[in-house]
């Protein structure tokens, strides 16, 4: 069929359906496009019609770990593809990530290094409900079996597909580093070599000697961005999807999307379908509080921001046309990697540095540094400070870890499916947020800001620079005082909703200093408290946890089709990654794999709108 005859047929279908089309908001002034994903040429004027400004077989929302694979797969299957990205740059959280991709199921790299794995073993691992995390929360218990089966069957394929599209994995045996909830039976993590791709955090590639031996998200997204461009995916930056258009509310196929481009509303028709890869919901305060009411506005340092947000726009747009959410316990339960202990303090975006020195803070070379404003101070030794809550009270052993995870070898001995596994865990009171909430009692759900308090001797030991751009005085994420009392009075910022009582902070510091003298922290058991906080000036640095992952979202099936509240597929709507529910796993593996699956299935959709 020629492009023109295809167009004529679809135009008829479209004009019939337009009478019943569900839409809202302002419709753009536009026209119908001919075949390819290019600017439209013909205008419509009927007030009941949608004016399609652009048109393609497939429209993908978001250029991250889900969206890029989906777009490339669909394009290479012969579809025209428009990829809309809200930001002025590609990559989403994926490009700022550490680039550890925990696929497995029998990858070439596993085979090369003699690691035994298979789709069945991967499936059994990720549905093993005998496993709990060290804080006692069940990990894999609420994974949807259908979704995990699809992942297990496609994980190794996705891995080979990534390699075929330019991703270079560091040539070492797969390990368990930086993978979270990836199963206990086999090491599966591979690390995308950063190569010459510039890091989002710095705007520069890594030094030459590290490029093939250090993994970064840039090493994953750089090649995929290049492959998408080379294959002819039309990438529309600064196009924020605001609405998904469906024939009728709760019925009929998805027809396309509405996007906002610098205040202009445009309608983009998707003949075969729309793929949601918008990255999750943890940046939307009202949305995330449906899962966890404690996550009030002060948790404003979402990991991955300010490069991109997770504003729930994909979830909300799909729910508005009938989609269901799924596996909500996966978000409600406090799984390890959902909340991160701050690693860089004194700045808003205080994502943990972890053991990976290359997950760096934001530096002035980054194109988003004007939004990040400060790099923060990396804490090398948690003996150098105390953490206090909004009222100036300690609540925690500062040297305690962040949050734990279940990965290869984390439970020893481990017997798959055995209820005895839990006996091999040391249940840890790692519940940072609840600890911070304790004793506040001001009828507010959130714990309030958490501040790191230290003196100038600590600054010298850590070799910190307490001036901008390392710290953010201007927006109230860093304060200084010549006495502890003055410091407490100086702490005034948007999220410090109660003044910090100076006498509280004075008492806290005095008590802590007495623990240093006695060598015993009789409150929280910090091992041998080492340094008094006694030499002015004194400092308070923002150390509130970063929210990290979205682990629940839209209901999908094995084909990554979005499912409605009645359990029926919404024709032409697909989703993967952090906007999809049913799969409690951190990160890139499920996103790339589901992007791969969604791209394949949307391309094969032969019942186009
Ligand atoms: C600092 C950091 C380190 C990490 N390290 C790792 C790691 O080493 N290994 C691992 O497995 N995982 C890691 N992760 C997690 C991993 O990056 C994410 O889970 C993954 O990128 C999610 O993929 P996604 O496609 O769902 O979302 P993203 O990759 O975030 O992509 C979503 C995209 O959609 C765009 N978007 C959102 N809304 C709209 C809209 N309305 N219209 C148009 N575009 C929109 C966003 O701007 C973004 O570009 C890390 C995350 C962070 C933040």
């Amino acid at each position: 069929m020629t492009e023109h005859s295809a167009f004529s047929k679809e135009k008829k279908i479209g004009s019939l359906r337009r009478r019943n089309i569900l839409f809202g908001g302002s419709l753009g002034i536009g026209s119908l496009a001919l075949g390819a994903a290019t600017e439209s040429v013909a205008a419509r004027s009927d007030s009941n019609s949608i004016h399609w400004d652009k048109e393609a077989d497939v429209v993908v929302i978001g250029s991250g770990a889900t969206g890029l694979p989906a777009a490339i797969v669909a394009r290479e299957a012969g579809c025209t593809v428009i990829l809309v990205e809200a930001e002025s740059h590609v990559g989403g959280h994926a490009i700022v990530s550490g680039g550890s991709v925990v696929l497995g199921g029998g990858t070439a790299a596993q085979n090369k290094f003699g690691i035994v794995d298979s789709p069945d073993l991967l499936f059994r691992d990720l549905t093993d409900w005998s496993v709990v995390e060290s804080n006692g929360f069940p990990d894999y218990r609420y994974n949807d079996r259908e979704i995990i089966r699809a992942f297990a069957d496609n994980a190794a394929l996705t891995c080979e597909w990534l390699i075929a599209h330019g991703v270079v994995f560091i040539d070492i045996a797969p390990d368990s580093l930086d993978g979270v909830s990836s199963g206990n039976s086999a090491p599966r993590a591979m690390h995308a070599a950063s190569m010459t791709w510039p890091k989002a955090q710095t705007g520069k590639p890594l030094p030459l000697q590290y490029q093939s031996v250090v993994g970064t998200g840039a090493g994953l997204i750089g090649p995929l961005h290049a492959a998408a461009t080379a294959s002819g995916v039309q990438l529309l930056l600064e196009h924020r999807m605001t609405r998904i258009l469906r024939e009728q509310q709760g019925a009929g196929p998805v027809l396309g999307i509405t996007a906002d481009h610098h205040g202009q509303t445009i309608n983009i028709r998707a003949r075969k379908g729309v793929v949601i890869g918008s990255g999750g919901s943890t940046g939307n305060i009202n949305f995330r509080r449906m899962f966890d009411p404690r996550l009030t506005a002060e948790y404003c340092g979402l990991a991955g921001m300010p490069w991109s947000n997770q504003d729930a726009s994909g979830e909300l747009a799909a729910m508005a046309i009938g989609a269901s959410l799924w596996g909500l316990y996966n978000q409600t339960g406090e799984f390890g990697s959902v909340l991160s202990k701050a690693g860089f303090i004194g700045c808003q975006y205080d994502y943990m540095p972890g053991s990976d020195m290359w997950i760096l803070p934001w530096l002035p070379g980054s194109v988003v540094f004007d939004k990040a404003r400060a790099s923060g101070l990396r804490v090398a030794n948690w003996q150098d400070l105390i953490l206090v809550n909004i009222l100036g009270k300690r609540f925690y052993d500062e040297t305690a870890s962040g949050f734990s995870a279940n990965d290869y070898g984390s439970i020893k001995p481990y017997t798959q499916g055995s209820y005895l596994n839990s006996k091999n865990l040391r249940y840890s009171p790692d519940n940072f947020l609840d600890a911070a909430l304790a004793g506040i009692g001001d009828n507010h759900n959130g714990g309030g800001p958490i501040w790191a308090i230290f003196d100038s001797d600590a600054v010298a030991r850590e070799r910190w620079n307490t001036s901008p751009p390392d710290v953010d005085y201007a927006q109230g994420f860093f304060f200084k005082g010549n006495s502890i009392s003055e410091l407490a009075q100086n702490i005034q910022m948007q999220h410090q909703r109660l003044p910090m009582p100076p006498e509280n902070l004075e008492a806290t510091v005095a008590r802590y200093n007495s623990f240093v003298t006695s060598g015993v922290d009789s409150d929280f058991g910090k091992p041998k408290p080492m340094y008094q906080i006694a030499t002015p000036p004194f400092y308070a640095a923002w150390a509130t946890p970063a929210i990290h992952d979205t682990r629940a979202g839209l209901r999908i099936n094995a084909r990554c089709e979005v499912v409605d509240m009645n359990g029926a597929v919404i024709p032409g709507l697909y989703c993967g990654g952090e906007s999809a529910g049913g799969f409690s796993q951190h990160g890139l593996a499920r996103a790339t794999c589901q992007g791969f699956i969604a791209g394949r299935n949307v391309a094969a959709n032969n019942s186009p709108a």
Side-chain angles (χ1 to χ4, degrees):
M1 195 183 294
T2 64
E3 256 186 358
H4 187 259
S5 62
F7 167 67
S8 306
K9 180 181 164 221
E10 289 188 8
K11 192 173 165 191
K12 277 186 207 136
I13 296 167
S15 62
L16 284 174
R17 285 184 169 151
R18 268 180 212 112
R19 289 190 207 110
N20 292 326
I21 280 164
L22 168 78
F23 59 83
S26 60
L27 293 178
I29 301 165
S31 47
L32 290 166
L34 284 172
T38 54
E39 289 297 327
S40 52
V41 291
R44 298 271 314 173
S45 57
D46 182 344
S47 61
N48 284 329
S49 301
I50 290 187
H51 300 271
W52 297 114
D53 300 290
K54 292 177 188 291
E55 179 165 355
D57 295 326
V58 174
V59 173
V60 178
I61 304 161
S63 67
T66 309
L68 281 170
I72 299 166
V73 168
R75 179 73 193 113
E76 290 181 351
C79 301
T80 56
V81 179
I82 291 177
L83 172 55
V84 294
E85 168 54 55
E87 303 294 340
S88 57
H89 39 253
V90 299
H93 283 197
I95 199 171
V96 303
S97 77
S100 299
V101 188
V102 192
L103 284 161
T107 61
Q110 288 178 311
N111 294 338
K112 175 177 172 182
F113 290 96
I115 295 165
V116 177
D117 200 2
S118 67
D120 284 349
L121 188 60
L122 180 55
F123 174 77
R124 288 210 311 272
D125 263 9
L126 298 185
T127 53
D128 181 350
W129 95 306
S130 70
V131 174
V132 291
E133 294 206 340
S134 57
N135 61 4
F137 271 86
D139 198 345
Y140 309 115
R141 197 164 295 174
Y142 301 99
N143 279 345
D144 181 303
R145 274 47 184 169
E146 176 183 348
I147 294 167
I148 304 305
R149 189 72 243 180
F151 173 78
D153 289 342
N154 285 281
L157 276 177
T158 303
C159 180
E160 307 322 324
W161 183 90
L162 290 172
I163 293 167
H165 288 80
V167 177
V168 177
F169 288 106
I170 300 171
D171 190 18
I172 52 172
D175 53 36
S176 60
L177 297 175
D178 300 331
V180 181
S181 307
S182 53
N184 254 270
S185 299
R188 298 182 168 121
M190 290 170 301
H191 309 280
S194 53
M195 308 310 282
T196 54
W197 304 103
K199 271 181 71 72
Q201 289 90 333
T202 61
K204 290 189 223 149
L206 294 188
L208 187 61
Q209 67 270 33
Y210 298 118
Q211 290 178 359
S212 58
V213 292
V214 171
T216 61
L220 176 73
I221 291 299
L224 295 184
H225 183 194
T229 307
S231 70
V233 170
Q234 188 183 350
L235 175 61
L236 301 179
L237 295 175
E238 298 178 313
H239 281 68
R240 182 178 296 277
M241 179 281 301
T242 53
R243 186 173 297 268
I244 296 171
L245 303 171
R246 189 179 186 186
E247 194 178 67
Q248 298 168 44
Q249 180 137 29
V254 161
L255 304 176
I257 67 161
T258 295
D260 176 86
H261 178 56
H262 298 304
Q264 185 195 355
T265 302
I266 64 165
N267 297 313
I268 307 176
R269 186 178 179 199
R271 285 185 292 259
K272 281 175 174 279
V274 170
V275 180
I276 300 170
S278 49
S281 58
T282 57
N284 182 322
I285 298 166
N286 289 320
F287 200 94
R288 76 187 184 211
R289 291 193 68 205
M290 291 195 291
F291 304 110
D292 186 344
R294 297 170 308 165
L295 297 180
T296 43
E298 61 268 29
Y299 303 101
C300 61
L302 187 67
M305 282 181 83
W307 187 266
S308 63
N309 195 357
Q310 297 194 331
D311 65 1
S313 51
E315 289 84 333
L316 290 168
M319 288 164 74
I321 58 164
S324 172
L325 296 176
W326 202 235
L328 302 190
Y329 183 78
N330 288 333
Q331 189 71 19
T332 308
E334 194 166 286
F335 294 107
S337 61
V338 172
L339 298 163
S340 306
K341 180 179 178 181
F344 294 95
I345 60 174
C347 62
Q348 183 173 353
Y349 303 107
D350 57 9
Y351 177 73
M352 59 170 179
S355 56
D356 180 354
M357 66 185 275
W358 294 107
I359 296 188
L360 294 168
W362 297 105
L363 294 179
S366 172
V367 295
V368 297
F369 194 74
D370 58 332
K371 294 183 189 165
R373 305 183 304 275
S375 308
L377 308 174
R378 180 178 182 156
V379 182
N381 183 357
W382 290 88
Q383 287 280 2
D384 279 324
L385 50 80
I386 59 170
L387 295 174
V388 301
N389 67 16
I390 189 171
L391 296 180
K393 296 185 175 174
R394 268 184 88 218
F395 56 90
Y396 195 62
D397 162 15
E398 293 82 2
T399 63
S401 66
F403 298 95
S404 52
N406 271 311
D407 297 307
Y408 174 64
S410 62
I411 303 171
K412 287 180 187 162
Y414 170 70
T415 310
Q416 199 169 60
S418 166
Y419 72 96
L420 293 173
N421 287 332
S422 55
K423 126 178 130 89
N424 302 317
L425 290 171
R426 191 180 66 83
Y427 283 62
S428 89
D430 267 356
N431 203 326
F432 201 92
L433 278 192
D434 283 344
L437 271 161
I440 291 180
D442 71 339
N443 296 322
H444 188 88
N445 280 301
I450 292 165
W451 298 100
I453 306 291
F454 49 91
D455 67 359
S456 43
D457 287 347
V459 172
R461 286 192 298 274
E462 291 271 354
R463 298 190 188 167
W464 284 331
N465 170 24
T466 55
S467 308
D470 291 35
V471 295
D472 186 0
Y473 286 99
Q475 294 299 315
F477 292 88
F478 196 75
F479 297 94
K480 186 176 176 180
N482 286 319
S483 66
I484 295 293
S485 170
E486 185 183 295
L487 178 65
Q489 290 169 67
N490 286 348
I491 298 174
Q492 289 180 15
M493 63 94 73
Q494 186 191 357
H495 300 302
Q496 180 72 25
R497 60 184 184 277
L498 304 166
M500 184 182 287
E503 63 279 14
N504 280 7
L505 191 61
E506 284 179 322
T508 297
V509 170
R511 186 168 173 79
Y512 182 76
N513 287 346
S514 76
F515 295 157
V516 176
T517 305
S518 68
V520 178
D521 172 3
S522 52
D523 286 343
F524 299 105
K526 184 173 184 170
K528 289 198 179 100
M530 285 172 72
Y531 305 112
Q532 295 212 338
I533 300 170
T535 309
F538 301 99
Y539 300 91
W542 183 260
T544 308
I547 304 179
H548 200 326
D549 283 46
T550 308
R551 293 209 181 190
L554 296 168
R555 181 175 180 182
I556 57 171
N557 62 17
R559 294 167 49 81
C560 289
E561 293 168 306
V562 177
V563 174
D564 72 12
M565 295 294 288
N566 299 313
V569 164
I570 298 178
L573 189 60
Y574 301 78
C575 179
E578 292 199 34
S579 286
F583 190 171
S584 178
Q585 185 186 63
H586 168 64
L588 298 168
R590 75 174 158 125
T592 51
C593 186
Q594 291 180 339
F596 176 78
I597 296 171
R600 201 172 52 197
N601 289 321
V602 69
N605 180 12
N606 289 322
S607 307

